[in-house]
Amino acid sequence: MITEFDYEEALKLARKEYKRATNAGESPYPARLDEIVSSGQLAAGRPVGLESIPLALVIGMRSEGRKNAFARNFMPLLETGSEFAVKWKALCHAHLTEGIRDPIRAYEYKNRFYVEEGNKRVSILKYFDADSIDAEVIRIQPAKEDFTEDYRAFLRFHECSGLRTVEFSDPASYDLLQRLAGLAPGEAWPEDLRRDFVSVYYWFHREYSAMGGDGSLPGVCDALLKFVQLC
């Protein structure tokens, strides 16, 4: 069966990432939001509605849950005969025949996402190199000391653009991109402009990463901004 092959391939990717992370002195499992923020911050989370979020920014889980079932890259760690594997393969088959349609539920903290419901959906779409996934998002307010100028600049830009895929190393770059888009400071991005930019971003990300460029979000966005300036 195709899904049997896919699970075995995903398991290989999980074991490879587990070994890499362990050798690097990192946790081999997805991050846990409840280890990063306080219980008070979690309880005060604010629903912001349905969004299409970049899978590259889904880096962890709200709490421990099935954490040990996944490697850091969300690939499955449990053996092929486990109950978890059977469910993963069934969902994989549904994805290949019908597509994954139900949104996940995730917490957003400083433009990174932590899954509360839908870990296997994330795992399967990451395995197939999908760009994004629909999510019901709950935003966690950072502590006062975490409101850096970089993060404030991102929030201002996100408020008018709705873009999650933009994160620069220089806070001034957000205003520059706004001007290059032909918009006034704080002016909302039209839907067609946002859609076109997202398409260009994912194309550029694939090409830039394939050429050995810095695959981090700020690395890609800094290079993309220079590319836009030259066009």
Side-chain angles (χ1 to χ4, degrees), residues 32 48 105 147:
R32 282 177 51 185
V48 296
R105 180 179 171 88
F147 265 97

Side-chain angles (χ1 to χ4, degrees), residues 201-216 220 223:
Y201 168 81
Y202 283 124
W203 166 79
F204 184 85
H205 182 273
R206 286 188 289 269
E207 295 298 319
Y208 185 66
S209 298
M211 294 173 63
D214 178 1
S216 69
V220 172

Side-chain angles (χ1 to χ4, degrees), residues 18 21 26-32 59 67-73 77:
Y18 187 98
E26 303 170 352
S27 170
Y29 305 112
R32 282 177 51 185
I59 65 168
K67 184 189 76 169
N68 294 353
F70 299 94
R72 191 182 180 95
N73 58 357
L77 277 171

